[in-house]
């Protein structure tokens, strides 16, 4: 008679253990180890992306390309999702905000997708490259000014720099007035943090922004979307703005944080440019780790595994980019052959601006704080336990603190190009609405308004 297996002898990922869980502290502590557990399954594997939510996760580079570039067999409309339609997905599942249907280009197919995507790509194409660099530098300079006078010469770079920087740039690109920009940032930040009511805050702010641009159009991304020949409704404009915010801010924050950590890390080769750190981040630490749910239009065999019609197939950009079959000859590939920005008809429409913003953010940090360094080794940094994003939880740095400026009315300049940023001086004001200001050992009076209001006041020298 066969003896029962000792649970300790059952390999993780074996059906006796159930699906590999791609979430929680264990996953955050070792994402790469989890991907290694899945590779014996072949091109894809069944995983739990959230409690009681099973998906097929593609871990092979070639299979990921096949799914992403085959819209006839794999579509994005999540209203097809079998388990959701059958009531097998918990109503409070954290997978629903990420996978549930929204009327935007990300969840559309065919002619509907082409129409929405054209409006987004055409509007983004009007953003001037030099203007975007200046906006990124100016936002970076402002944020650095808030922590650079810390008497201990210490800061937490994720919360104080990498995360708020894209939010400032996007609020500026959208043409937000101060108060609406504050609520846009509060709303999208709250959604990422799981704050109750954040959806309503963001929706209300963007509704007001769209109404404002209907009355008074200006030269900004919101107005260009509204005036595009695709003739988007106000609701469609709102959902495309939400897509740009969610797809452009959190992944960019992750890229800025990881690229900064790599460049400052103990294993970085001195003399290599910042661009190499950003490229290495996109290859080895894909900011969007596991996402892009597709639904087969028919039963399909993927690497020997049969996937049923309308069962969700997610792409692990993180696992595909580090596929051992690929890394053996990755030196022969283009530096841009990674899948961090996706591929096929749903590839990121702003991959070049995103890369440029990440490079500019890291370069500005290095220019402003010449002796900045990590307070812990790179390998000791911890990753967020989310399956969706590969992002550092914290990024502690140290530097020589700047002297506290005597006045706050000096004009600010963003500099002329990435890598050539003049030193800035500004009065210290707090980064978050609730937190105290950083000063030379004291607490400054709270300025009015949220992050975007304070940023705009700083740019005007107020």
């Amino acid at each position: 008679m066969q003896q029962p297996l000792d649970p300790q002898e059952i390999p993780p990922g074996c059906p006796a253990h159930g699906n590999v869980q791609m979430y929680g502290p264990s996953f955050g502590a070792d994402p790469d180890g989890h991907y290694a557990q899945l590779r014996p399954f072949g091109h894809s594997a069944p995983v739990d992306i959230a409690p009681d939510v099973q998906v097929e996760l593609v871990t092979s580079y070639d299979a990921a390309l096949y799914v992403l570039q085959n819209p006839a067999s794999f579509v994005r409309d999540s209203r097809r999702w079998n388990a959701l339609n059958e009531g097998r997905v918990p109503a409070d599942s954290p997978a629903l905000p990420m996978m549930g249907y929204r009327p935007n280009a990300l969840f559309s197919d065919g002619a509907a997708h082409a129409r929405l995507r054209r409006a987004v790509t055409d509007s983004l194409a009007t953003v001037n490259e030099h203007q975007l660099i200046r906006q990124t530098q100016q936002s970076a300079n402002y944020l650095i000014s808030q922590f650079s006078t810390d008497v201990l010469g210490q800061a937490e770079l994720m919360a104080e720099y990498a995360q708020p920087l894209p939010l400032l740039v996007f609020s500026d690109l959208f043409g937000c007035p101060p108060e609406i920009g504050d609520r846009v940032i509060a709303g999208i930040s709250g959604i990422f943090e799981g704050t109750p009511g954040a959806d309503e805050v963001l929706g209300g702010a963007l509704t007001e922004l769209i109404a404002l641009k209907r009355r008074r159009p200006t030269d900004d991304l919101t107005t260009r979307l509204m005036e595009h020949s695709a003739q988007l409704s106000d609701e469609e404009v709102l959902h495309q703005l939400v897509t740009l915010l969610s797809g452009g801010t959190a992944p960019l924050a992750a890229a800025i944080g990881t690229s900064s950590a790599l460049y400052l890390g103990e294993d970085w080769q001195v003399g290599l440019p910042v661009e190499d750190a950003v490229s290495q981040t996109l290859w080895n630490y894909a900011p969007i780790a596991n996402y892009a749910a597709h639904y087969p239009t028919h039963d399909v065999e993927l690497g020997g595994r049969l996937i049923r019609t309308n069962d969700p197939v997610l792409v692990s950009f993180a696992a595909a980019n580090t596929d051992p079959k690929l890394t053996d000859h990755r030196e022969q590939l283009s530096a841009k052959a990674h899948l961090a920005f996706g591929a096929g008809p749903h590839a990121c429409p702003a991959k070049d601006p995103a890369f440029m913003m990440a490079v500019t953010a890291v370069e500005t940090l290095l220019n402003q704080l010449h002796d900045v360094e990590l307070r812990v080794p790179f390998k000791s940094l911890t990753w967020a336990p989310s399956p969706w994003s590969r992002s550092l939880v914290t990024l502690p740095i140290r530097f020589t603190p700047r002297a506290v400026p005597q006045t706050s009315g000096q004009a600010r300049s963003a500099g002329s190009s990435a890598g050539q940023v003049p030193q800035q001086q500004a009065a210290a004001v707090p980064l978050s609405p609730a937190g105290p200001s950083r000063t030379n050992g004291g607490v400054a009076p709270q300025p009015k308004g949220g992050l975007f209001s304070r940023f705009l006041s700083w740019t005007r020298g107020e």
Side-chain angles (χ1 to χ4, degrees), residues 398-453:
R398 58 175 166 246
F399 50 87
T400 300
R402 294 179 181 176
V404 177
Q406 299 302 308
T407 63
S408 60
Q410 299 174 353
R412 281 88 179 180
S413 168
S416 58
S417 63
Q420 298 293 326
V421 185
Q423 295 291 326
Q424 305 291 330
Q425 287 190 331
V429 294
L431 179 62
S432 62
S437 300
R438 287 180 176 273
T439 64
N440 192 21
V443 177
Q446 290 274 6
K448 294 181 180 179
L451 175 62
F452 193 60
S453 291

Side-chain angles (χ1 to χ4, degrees), residues 131-303:
Q131 175 193 2
L132 184 59
I133 290 176
R134 287 195 298 272
Q135 287 174 309
T136 304
Q137 288 177 331
Q138 193 171 49
S139 299
N141 289 333
Y142 166 71
L143 294 169
I144 292 168
S145 76
Q146 305 311 287
F147 62 75
S148 59
T149 56
D150 178 79
V151 66
L152 298 177
Q154 297 183 358
E156 201 292 280
L157 210 61
M158 291 303 299
E160 298 186 73
Y161 188 69
Q163 292 168 352
L165 196 158
L167 295 171
L168 290 175
V169 174
F170 272 79
S171 297
D172 209 0
L173 287 174
F174 284 4
C176 292
E179 193 271 338
I180 291 180
D182 289 341
R183 285 190 288 138
V184 166
I185 290 176
I188 191 65
S189 299
I191 288 174
F192 291 142
E193 296 163 4
T195 304
D199 268 323
E200 290 77 9
V201 172
L202 179 61
L206 291 177
T207 298
E208 287 186 33
L209 177 65
I210 292 167
L212 173 64
K213 300 304 177 181
R214 289 283 182 208
R215 298 192 304 270
R216 297 196 300 273
T218 52
D219 184 20
D220 55 63
L221 200 54
T222 306
T223 301
R224 291 171 202 143
L225 272 174
M226 297 170 67
E227 294 180 346
H228 191 270
S229 59
Q231 297 183 321
L232 273 58
S233 67
D234 285 359
E235 182 183 10
E236 288 176 325
V237 172
L238 185 150
H239 283 288
Q240 308 326 302
L241 291 176
V242 172
T243 303
L244 287 169
L245 275 173
S246 58
T249 56
L252 186 53
I256 292 170
T258 306
S259 300
S260 300
L262 275 175
Y263 193 91
L264 299 173
E266 60 274 14
D267 293 333
W268 189 253
Q269 184 177 334
V270 177
L272 291 178
V274 168
E275 286 87 346
D276 283 11
V278 177
S279 291
Q280 190 175 134
T281 292
L282 298 175
W283 271 110
N284 297 332
Y285 308 94
I288 300 178
N290 307 288
Y291 195 51
H294 290 72
Y295 301 84
T297 57
H298 53 86
D299 288 357
V300 61
E301 187 175 299
L302 194 63

Side-chain angles (χ1 to χ4, degrees), residues 94-109:
L96 281 176
M98 303 301 295
M99 295 175 60
Y101 175 79
R102 297 174 188 267
N104 58 31
L106 196 62
F107 293 92
S108 302
D109 302 288

